[in-house]
Amino acid sequence: MAGNTLPFKSNYAVSSKIEPFYKGGKVQISHDEQYIFCTCGPRVNILQIDTGKIIHSIEQDDQEDITSFSLSPDDEILVTASRALLLKQWDWKQEKCTRSWRAIHNVPVASMTFDCTSTLLATGGCDGTIKLWDVVKQYCTHNLKGSSGVVHLVEFHPDISRLQLFSSSVDCGIRIWDLRTSKCICVLESHYSAVTSLAFSPDGQTLVSSGRDKICSVWDLKKKAVKRTVPVYEAVEGVVVLPGKSDYSQMGVKGEGLHFVTAGSKGVLRVWDSSSARCVFTQTLPDAPALNTEEGDLDPRSLMHLLPMPQSNRLATVTAEHNILIYQMPALTVQQQFVGYNDDILDVKFLGKDDTHIVVSTNSSQLKVFELATNSCQILYGHTDTILSIDVFRKGSMFASCAKDKSLRLWKMDLKSGHVHCVAQGSGHSNAVGSVACSRLKKGFLVSGSQDCTIKLWDLPDPLPDVGCEPVLMTARLTERAHDKDVNSVTISPNDKLLASGSQDRTAKLWSLADMSLLGVFRGHSRGVWCVQFSPVDQVLATASADGSIKIWSIQEFSCLRTFDGHDASVLKVIFVSRGTQLVSSGSDGLVKLWTIKTNECVKTFDAHQDKVWALHGSSKDDLMVTGSADSTITLWKDVSEVELAEEQAKQEDQVLKQQELSNLLHEKKYLKALGIAISLDQPHTALRVIREIRQQEDGVQELEKTLLKLRQDQKESVLRFSVVWNTNSRSCLDAQAVLQVLLTHLSPEEILQYQGTRTHLEGLIPYTERHMQRIGRLLQASMFLDYMWQKMRITGGKDSVNLDDDEGMDTSPQSIFIVDKQPMDMADIPGSLQQQEDEEEDLEDSEKREELLDEDESVSTSKSAHVNGMKPNGVNSAVDEGQVSSEESEDEDDVMEMTTKSTDSDPSKTADIR
């Protein structure tokens, strides 16, 4: 094959990822307007606005979801609240927790805010209470009660001298709290549904509140009364007061009165005059289709948050699709747009002259165009159903898309501004269009394949319309029924003369583009064909199938030249790289594989996705590739050099050597060095392995104590930090407690407090330790109850003796099965039972003997053994006559419950005489 002198690719490395960083919840912008803070499950992600990169990710150790958070106005303190009812204070720039404390709330915290001095923190709980915390002196200053239900909104008055806090709960009222007296001085009642946002005028005398009851209320805070009720005719989620100094004439602001901006369910920004209650400006979205007002509340473009950025005179909005848009005022032009969450990635292609952008289709009707340098995104509206496939013309400024709405669209990028707009559209298929291919030599035509089993050839309009013009209509020049089932893939040869199609009917076909005549059929796959691809240099075709194989076919003889097996599931995409000498494939097993065609071997397997990898594309320079998966992640891969590969291998070998050295040290019982290596690797699980090895020794307690006390101070700090992680898991909590016992026993409080983050670690240990103690207590009660029931059972019909300890040795054959006598016991049959009960009660009244029975396994075992053999604990024989059984049925219940369950494990010689 051609290109044998070209060096083969041996490895790709992940260059960057576009991952979900926001899945709903609170969003906050830093005071310096450089960062966006948003929640994503157990994490708070910090997005740098200029670069669009996630620079920090604050994550809970216990993996509990974060219910609320707040960043102080000085941008120094971040406090998070989780479902574990813990508040944590973070040095977010270092990603370190500096302090944690119990929230005191009985249920999770729903809202949180700082005052303007960054010293007071207010938390509103789902229990209807509000707590105020002094984050400097670290104590709770107020406990405000009176709200009904979840307190979902708390805000300090901007004038700190007033010492007022505003809150709202499910009763739809706005409460004003006087922090001097800790009392509610007023309830502002105007809304009939949840109050979503509060905004104060610059002088602090006026308050604007928004609600889902489709109104905004303007309040006079001196009179504590409504000045104006503004009907907005949509559920309002956010309100921002416009500062009075700037010129907002472009937004309809003509007077000097108070004006405010609203964002809500209809997905547009509106400007309102508070004095006249009129809407003076409504934002238009030219790229988006008209919104159905009847379904406006459910529209995915509904705005969920509106955030002011006063320093740069901007506004930020958050949509229901988890997109964050930043607008420049007063023109309200979109400056930046970030996609917080992508659904399943179905297709992705490089775009632009030098592959500066990627265009992505997700499980939605919108296309997303990402600028790789900043991760800023354009959202393209046009299709009305899920977009299934994309293909790009050779120079990269135009591309085509097809969707389930049975249509195709042609898009063009302005290379100067980067703006993309639709220039043409076509329809004609009777079912979803699953694949589209663009011509290779010139921008002349498109080919589409559909679930209606047909292939259509489309001519492009000439000339194409300019920016801002309506897209022109395309009509199909040729239509051919191509397959018996869905057409999954179509591709055009490099010379624009041939067309290949792959179908769910397990075949691939070759067509002449001149007249759409069939040239041949490729048969050999046992399941549907997902992808077909021409080689850029050779006369061969690659096909990827749901049978897990990739095949190379001769397009002259229609014979299979090579087969590549390696994926454990369907192969979804395949591309040629290295000038046709190698293949890259992706599958529904989440793997990406690099193949060398000449040797028929898999060179490398890349595992960076957790679900089906639907999308795969290579750059024009053949040095990058991009993959997209159903796990909502887009991964950009770079062809790494041999030097980088050698460095990576050296790191891995170093890790392997350290792991081997660790195993050798454990085998040689050199625990101090082993623990030192585990700490140097900064791997809590590896350190836990060492701790467990130490504790499994005969003198494990002494060995653990000796090892830990010999560690350096920084190593002890690491072990203490590891213990906090171990303590969150019931499987490793005993190891954590053993380490803590040594440290707390032999180190003074002053020494421990000198360790970095000690206070945070110890406070984080308390709630989980309490959980473990409660669980152990319940387990002990259950085991004691089982022990009690065993001692109370009357067993008849068995052999003369039974080994109670050896369960495996118990004879379970039919002739020796124990039969529990369910008949009431006749006390006349056991003449000595009453006397035995009285003797036992007298013996167990002595508290010292009780403690001895609890603490000493041997004495407990002897005692129970004596009972089973018909002897009392004090050695007096009990009456056992022919056909009579002396059991613990007459024993005092409280005394029996105090016995430990260890007795059944200690003495293998215990037997019971059963006649």
Side-chain angles (χ1 to χ4, degrees):
M1 302 184 74
N4 289 335
T5 58
L6 189 73
F8 291 143
K9 299 182 188 299
S10 59
N11 194 22
Y12 283 93
V14 175
S15 175
S16 62
K17 283 188 175 185
I18 300 176
E19 297 179 284
F21 66 85
Y22 173 61
K23 295 183 179 179
K26 184 174 180 179
V27 176
Q28 187 174 350
I29 297 177
S30 61
H31 189 262
D32 61 11
E33 300 179 6
Q34 294 185 16
Y35 306 100
I36 297 175
F37 291 71
C38 50
T39 56
C40 187
R43 299 190 303 275
V44 173
N45 289 320
I46 296 122
L47 178 80
Q48 190 171 29
I49 295 176
D50 291 341
T51 64
K53 307 291 185 183
I54 300 297
I55 59 167
H56 299 294
S57 186
I58 305 299
E59 187 167 4
Q60 296 280 116
D61 290 336
D62 53 12
Q63 293 299 303
E64 294 279 0
D65 282 355
I66 291 175
T67 58
S68 186
F69 73 91
S70 186
L71 178 70
S72 61
D74 60 7
D75 294 340
E76 293 296 329
I77 302 173
L78 176 69
V79 177
T80 62
S82 70
R83 293 192 180 276
L85 306 183
L86 282 177
L87 294 175
K88 293 194 174 187
Q89 182 176 321
W90 301 84
D91 179 356
W92 60 271
K93 295 176 183 177
Q94 302 294 327
E95 298 185 13
K96 290 184 179 179
C97 179
T98 57
R99 176 177 169 243
S100 65
W101 68 97
R102 301 189 68 173
I104 305 180
H105 293 279
N106 298 322
V107 286
V109 173
S111 56
M112 189 185 301
T113 189
F114 272 95
D115 74 333
C116 60
T117 65
S118 302
T119 57
L120 281 180
L121 174 72
T123 59
C126 296
D127 55 2
T129 65
I130 302 170
K131 318 286 185 188
L132 264 70
W133 308 85
D134 189 322
V135 295
V136 177
K137 297 180 181 178
Q138 302 181 359
Y139 70 98
C140 181
T141 62
H142 297 73
N143 184 17
L144 308 179
K145 297 181 179 180
S147 302
S148 59
V150 177
V151 181
H152 60 264
L153 183 63
V154 285
E155 285 288 343
F156 284 96
H157 192 282
D159 185 0
I160 192 60
S161 63
R162 292 196 180 196
L163 282 178
Q164 288 182 347
L165 179 73
F166 292 72
S167 70
S168 182
S169 60
V170 294
D171 60 4
C172 309
I174 303 171
R175 284 177 165 77
I176 305 177
W177 303 87
D178 187 344
L179 301 184
R180 293 184 177 89
T181 62
S182 297
K183 292 183 179 179
C184 177
I185 59 177
C186 181
V187 180
L188 307 179
E189 295 181 340
S190 170
H191 292 278
Y192 295 96
S193 67
V195 178
T196 55
S197 180
L198 301 177
F200 295 90
S201 63
D203 59 5
Q205 302 299 324
T206 305
L207 171 70
V208 181
S209 62
S210 65
R212 297 195 180 108
D213 51 6
K214 303 184 179 182
I215 65 169
C216 287
S217 297
V218 182
W219 303 86
D220 186 336
L221 292 182
K222 283 186 176 180
K223 299 179 181 179
K224 308 291 191 299
V226 177
K227 292 200 306 186
R228 180 74 64 178
T229 298
V230 181
V232 184
Y233 306 110
E234 65 172 328
V236 185
E237 296 292 341
V239 61
V240 168
V241 172
L242 288 176
K245 297 180 181 180
S246 302
D247 179 15
Y248 295 106
S249 57
Q250 286 184 261
M251 299 171 65
V253 178
K254 297 179 180 179
E256 296 183 355
L258 183 69
H259 291 75
F260 58 89
V261 184
T262 60
S265 58
K266 293 187 177 179
V268 294
L269 299 177
R270 304 176 193 270
V271 182
W272 302 83
D273 185 346
S274 64
S275 58
S276 63
R278 290 188 308 109
C279 177
V280 298
F281 177 80
T282 300
Q283 179 191 23
T284 57
L285 301 175
D287 292 336
L291 185 65
N292 186 344
T293 55
E294 295 180 357
E295 300 177 359
D297 292 343
L298 303 175
D299 192 86
R301 289 181 285 115
S302 300
L303 301 179
M304 309 307 294
H305 300 281
L306 178 61
L307 307 169
M309 302 176 69
Q311 291 186 7
S312 56
N313 200 27
R314 293 183 293 177
L315 288 174
T317 62
V318 182
T319 72
E321 289 183 315
H322 313 307
N323 302 326
I324 302 173
L325 291 83
I326 298 177
Y327 293 96
Q328 182 67 57
M329 294 193 293
L332 283 184
T333 55
V334 178
Q335 192 180 61
Q336 285 178 288
Q337 185 163 307
F338 305 103
V339 176
Y341 177 73
N342 287 308
D343 209 340
D344 294 6
I345 310 296
L346 301 183
D347 205 358
V348 59
K349 293 289 190 293
F350 282 103
L351 186 65
K353 185 177 180 181
D354 296 314
D355 299 327
T356 54
H357 295 68
I358 55 172
V359 55
V360 180
S361 71
T362 64
N363 195 20
S364 72
S365 59
Q366 294 92 42
L367 282 168
K368 299 180 175 70
V369 179
F370 288 90
E371 185 180 4
L372 294 176
T374 63
N375 276 6
S376 182
C377 176
Q378 297 176 59
I379 295 181
L380 308 180
Y381 297 93
H383 288 286
T384 58
D385 207 341
T386 304
I387 299 169
L388 299 175
S389 180
I390 309 166
D391 198 24
V392 182
F393 284 95
R394 185 167 59 91
K395 292 187 178 180
S397 62
M398 287 177 56
F399 64 94
S401 62
C402 61
K404 284 185 178 180
D405 60 7
K406 309 173 188 177
S407 72
L408 292 85
R409 282 185 176 260
L410 185 66
W411 308 82
K412 185 176 182 181
M413 171 186 275
D414 185 341
L415 295 178
K416 293 182 179 180
S417 65
H419 182 73
V420 180
H421 63 282
C422 181
V423 294
Q425 59 182 349
S427 59
H429 284 286
S430 61
N431 209 330
V433 186
S435 181
V436 63
C438 299
S439 56
R440 299 303 175 205
L441 291 180
K442 57 182 179 179
K443 300 171 185 176
F445 59 91
L446 296 173
V447 176
S448 61
S450 169
Q451 291 180 10
D452 62 11
C453 308
T454 65
I455 293 174
K456 288 181 181 289
L457 179 65
W458 309 76
D459 287 324
L460 300 189
D462 189 23
L464 294 171
D466 295 329
V467 177
C469 299
E470 288 293 322
V472 298
L473 295 177
M474 297 186 296
T475 56
R477 175 159 55 94
L478 290 172
T479 301
E480 183 71 31
R481 180 173 175 83
H483 291 272
D484 297 329
K485 292 184 179 181
D486 300 358
V487 180
N488 291 332
S489 177
V490 290
T491 186
I492 297 172
S493 64
N495 61 3
D496 281 351
K497 292 183 179 180
L498 300 175
L499 169 71
S501 61
S503 168
Q504 205 65 29
D505 64 6
R506 307 177 186 179
T507 66
K509 294 185 178 181
L510 189 67
W511 307 82
S512 171
L513 277 172
D515 55 0
M516 289 300 293
S517 59
L518 180 64
L519 301 178
V521 180
F522 305 97
R523 292 187 176 89
H525 286 292
S526 59
R527 298 188 68 182
V529 177
W530 277 113
C531 181
V532 290
Q533 194 74 34
F534 280 106
S535 169
V537 292
D538 294 309
Q539 295 186 5
V540 297
L541 179 76
T543 58
S545 169
D547 62 12
S549 69
I550 305 158
K551 291 182 181 291
I552 301 289
W553 307 83
S554 168
I555 62 175
Q556 293 178 333
E557 300 175 358
F558 303 101
S559 59
C560 179
L561 303 177
R562 293 188 183 276
T563 300
F564 302 87
D565 292 311
H567 285 278
D568 294 330
S570 301
V571 185
L572 303 175
K573 275 285 171 68
V574 62
I575 60 172
F576 283 90
V577 294
S578 305
R579 293 191 61 193
T581 60
Q582 291 182 292
L583 294 171
V584 177
S585 62
S586 65
S588 54
D589 51 9
L591 301 177
V592 177
K593 290 180 178 287
L594 173 65
W595 309 83
T596 298
I597 296 176
K598 185 177 181 179
T599 60
N600 220 77
E601 66 174 346
C602 177
V603 179
K604 195 82 173 179
T605 298
F606 309 101
D607 187 3
H609 293 286
Q610 306 299 320
D611 210 335
K612 299 180 181 68
V613 183
W614 287 107
L616 172 66
H617 192 230
S619 65
S620 56
K621 295 181 179 179
D622 203 28
D623 59 339
L624 297 173
M625 71 174 180
V626 63
T627 56
S629 168
D631 62 5
S632 306
T633 302
I634 301 167
T635 304
L636 192 67
W637 303 82
K638 183 180 180 181
D639 180 18
V640 295
S641 65
E642 295 296 331
V643 176
E644 290 173 324
L645 180 61
E647 291 177 355
E648 186 72 21
Q649 290 176 343
K651 289 180 181 178
Q652 293 177 358
E653 290 173 0
D654 184 52
Q655 292 279 357
V656 171
L657 289 174
K658 283 191 174 182
Q659 291 287 352
Q660 184 61 47
E661 184 181 0
L662 180 66
S663 299
N664 294 337
L665 290 171
L666 288 176
H667 182 71
E668 298 169 4
K669 297 186 177 182
K670 296 179 179 179
Y671 299 119
L672 183 60
K673 289 185 178 180
L675 189 56
I677 289 178
I679 294 171
S680 68
L681 291 172
D682 195 26
Q683 296 176 353
H685 293 296
T686 305
L688 178 61
R689 175 188 165 196
V690 178
I691 296 296
R692 285 178 172 168
E693 286 282 345
I694 296 174
R695 294 187 66 223
Q696 287 174 2
Q697 304 302 311
E698 291 184 2
D699 55 345
V701 176
Q702 294 80 5
E703 189 67 37
L704 180 63
E705 182 178 320
K706 182 174 66 175
T707 303
L708 291 177
L709 294 179
K710 287 182 179 179
L711 294 175
R712 301 190 308 269
Q713 179 174 332
D714 60 319
Q715 293 176 323
K716 291 177 183 176
E717 290 177 6
S718 299
V719 171
L720 180 61
R721 176 165 51 87
F722 292 165
S723 298
V724 177
V725 178
W726 302 337
N727 197 52
T728 61
N729 192 325
S730 59
R731 296 181 180 178
S732 55
C733 65
L734 294 178
D735 303 287
Q737 294 295 328
V739 171
L740 292 171
Q741 182 180 7
V742 173
L743 295 178
L744 296 177
T745 302
H746 293 85
L747 300 178
S748 65
E750 292 76 13
E751 290 180 86
I752 295 177
L753 289 174
Q754 289 178 359
Y755 294 170
Q756 186 176 4
T758 300
R759 185 184 297 274
T760 302
H761 297 328
L762 295 180
E763 289 176 347
L765 286 164
I766 293 172
Y768 287 98
T769 302
E770 290 176 352
R771 288 187 193 179
H772 299 323
M773 290 299 294
Q774 291 172 2
R775 189 182 72 253
I776 293 172
R778 291 193 299 269
L779 180 63
L780 182 60
Q781 288 178 3
S783 62
M784 296 300 287
F785 178 74
L786 288 174
D787 185 62
Y788 167 72
M789 293 298 297
W790 170 252
Q791 295 181 52
K792 286 294 184 182
M793 289 171 64
R794 184 181 182 198
I795 303 171
T796 60
K799 291 186 176 182
D800 290 346
S801 64
V802 179
N803 189 339
L804 296 181
D805 287 335
D806 190 2
D807 292 341
E808 296 180 359
M810 184 178 293
D811 187 358
T812 58
S813 60
Q815 66 271 20
S816 61
I817 292 179
F818 291 142
I819 302 174
V820 179
D821 188 359
K822 297 183 179 179
Q823 298 297 324
M825 181 171 58
D826 188 357
M827 296 303 296
D829 294 337
I830 310 178
S833 61
L834 292 176
Q835 181 63 37
Q836 177 181 345
Q837 179 179 357
E838 293 174 0
D839 292 343
E840 289 178 332
E841 289 176 352
E842 292 176 1
D843 291 339
L844 293 177
E845 282 177 357
D846 187 354
S847 61
E848 293 182 359
K849 287 189 176 181
R850 289 187 182 187
E851 293 179 1
E852 184 178 355
L853 288 173
L854 287 172
D855 296 336
E856 299 182 11
D857 291 347
E858 186 176 355
S859 61
V860 173
S861 301
T862 307
S863 170
K864 288 201 172 185
S865 177
H867 277 295
V868 174
N869 286 285
M871 298 290 292
K872 294 194 301 180
N874 59 5
V876 180
N877 290 326
S878 60
V880 182
D881 295 332
E882 188 73 15
Q884 297 174 343
V885 179
S886 178
S887 69
E888 277 91 8
E889 289 183 1
S890 60
E891 194 173 23
D892 183 77
E893 292 182 7
D894 294 334
D895 295 339
V896 173
M897 289 297 289
E898 289 182 12
M899 295 294 184
T900 67
T901 58
K902 294 181 180 179
S903 58
T904 58
D905 299 327
S906 56
D907 189 1
S909 63
K910 289 180 287 186
T911 58
D913 295 331
I914 302 175
R915 294 184 175 87

